[in-house]
Amino acid sequence: MTSLLPQPRLTETAPGSLDVTPGGWIIGPPELVDAVRRALAVLDLRPAPGGLPDGQGPPLVSVAWDPGLGAEAYTLAVTPDGVRIAAGDASGAGHAAQTLRQLLGPEAFRSAVPRGTRWSVRCLRVADAPRFAWRGAHLDVARHFLPKREVLRMIDLLAAHKLNRLHLHLADDQGWRVESRAYPLLHEIASHRPRTIVSHYGEEEVFDETPHGGYYTLADLAEIGAYAAARGVTVVPEIDVPGHASAILAAYPSLGARPSEPHTVLDRWGISPAILSPLPATADFLGTVFDEIITALGGGTAVPYFHIGGDECVLDDWAASAEIAAYQRSLGLDSPAALHAWFLRALADVLATYGIRAVVWDEAFVSGSLRPDTVVMPWRGPGVARRAAAAGHNVVATPVFPLYFDYAEAASADEPLAIGDAITVDDVAAFDPAPASWTEEEAGKVLGAQFQLWSERIPDGRVLDYRAWPRGCALAEVAWSGGPRDPADLRARLAVHLARLDAFGVEYRPLDGPRPWQRGGTGHRRHRPGVIDVGMVARHLERLSHEAGSTRPSI
Ligand code: ACM
């Protein structure tokens, strides 16, 4: 058994085996050779652009274009004479190399191996291609900042699981996380808060009285984008507007719907009424900031998507402002909800001038008319996902249940603090982003799925590891392979795969529960089982998502 994860489309074993030692030769077109060498850095493969030196045997790896293979598809043949890879693009070559890395065994997931390490790989043939084009992870770096080194490491882990989108939630009420040369108060003021709440829902408020913050320079962002692209991962930046705007307004209060009101970077969670004004000055500001981010990420085709949020907007201040109400009327719009959709559509029009497609959370779709090419992330469940698909929008499945990984894996006091419970590996593995009950046309609108790591209760990279894996492995199986044959099949492969993650240095959640030092203990990081039941939340949000104009879920 090869225990590959995600499961390839076709795996055929063959007689014999191949001995592999680091330092072997690789030949092929430079772009594909680079992709293989990056994924298999541990093998220290030596490229031979001018051909192999005289007297060498066959190369350890040969890689070739096969234009007949689709995007990200590959074939891999391990023979006693060497490894042959064919791919239609560099991503496919990278995926083939990741498959070979899994075949080598857990030690291939270390950053380096001792001299003299030898592997033996059983001969086989793999033919593989993804089920979905969008296989993603969402990192909320706003609620808790995640240093650049953690983001780069997450990109390596995404690539190891054939995941290909990194959605970076760069702005929220609790922090703004990217440098702006045009509006420097964003990183100078909006990137930090003096303290953070540590009590949970329904409890007396307690704060840690410890500053928290951080931001990526534009050069950091450029590095993240380039590092991701070289590994077949596309960064999808998000600036969440017009709500979730407390941090922006702490820096530039004049952009608010109540321009004379002061704001602070929030030190607590939940939905804030702070909202940007929809007047033209806001669009000008955002256009400038978007341009800085797009330019840092390499512009044009390097940034196919830009997320502009649209979720959980409290529109009361728009309705209460005579100036905004007059603006709404001048546009021929009959409600603040319609203005909400119009505002996001105007931003999407700006992005379209770069050839970039906007992505929004589903409230923007429920509010009114979006650009037809806007991608919808239906976080409030499959009902709104199907309606968005039926309306012609591409959708990326992001439902709270089972893809919000800030929920605990078990309703147990052994767990570290989570927002609620429970979402298990099996729940994720059973998820179908394009259910069989949908029409073919609706299902065809589903680009894929991604898991969400909202970080109110994820303070650092260690907790991030625990929340992300192995549920992220199950999401990779869903999005790449179309889901496991059955839960037992996935669990059997996971048992092998977790040894790979151990070697990589991932502090995942063991399948039978946390290690002693991963528990929440009895202090403020203890879990409160049953405080929020994800099933109840999902049903509540599903109901809300059917109410046109409802942009204020109140969980
Ligand atoms: C969301 O959870 N507000 C997208």
Side-chain angles (χ1 to χ4, degrees), residues 54-79:
D54 287 344
Q56 296 288 323
L60 178 57
V61 179
S62 58
V63 55
W65 296 111
D66 181 347
L69 292 172
E72 302 190 85
Y74 69 91
T75 60
L76 168 76
V78 179
T79 76

Side-chain angles (χ1 to χ4, degrees), residues 257-284:
R258 290 170 181 262
S260 54
E261 189 162 300
H263 291 266
T264 57
V265 180
L266 290 194
D267 56 12
R268 67 195 67 216
W269 319 127
I271 297 171
S272 153
I275 188 164
L276 299 179
S277 157
L279 297 175
T282 305
D284 289 348

Side-chain angles (χ1 to χ4, degrees), residues 359-490:
V359 186
V360 294
W361 300 109
D362 66 58
E363 288 96 325
F365 161 71
V366 173
S367 281
S369 172
L370 299 172
R371 273 180 68 94
D373 64 353
T374 296
V375 176
V376 176
M377 288 194 167
W379 67 283
R380 293 183 294 173
V384 69
R386 185 173 187 179
R387 281 194 294 143
H393 288 288
N394 278 131
V395 301
V396 175
T398 53
V400 173
F401 182 85
L403 299 184
Y404 271 29
F405 287 4
D406 51 335
Y407 283 79
E409 275 219 33
S412 160
D414 275 351
E415 292 293 322
L417 178 66
I419 185 172
D421 37 63
I423 292 175
T424 66
V425 167
D426 288 352
D427 291 332
V428 179
F431 177 65
D432 186 351
S437 57
W438 293 16
T439 67
E440 211 173 297
E441 209 165 48
E442 289 161 355
K445 291 290 178 187
V446 178
L447 295 180
Q450 71 179 28
F451 60 82
Q452 276 54 240
L453 287 160
W454 296 106
S455 68
E456 289 95 331
R457 291 157 189 85
I458 300 180
D460 56 38
R462 296 189 78 176
V463 181
L464 189 83
D465 267 8
Y466 184 86
R467 294 274 172 243
W469 317 103
R471 291 183 293 191
C473 309
L475 188 276
E477 180 81 8
V478 165
W480 178 275
S481 317
R485 270 196 309 274
D486 58 56
D489 164 53
L490 178 62

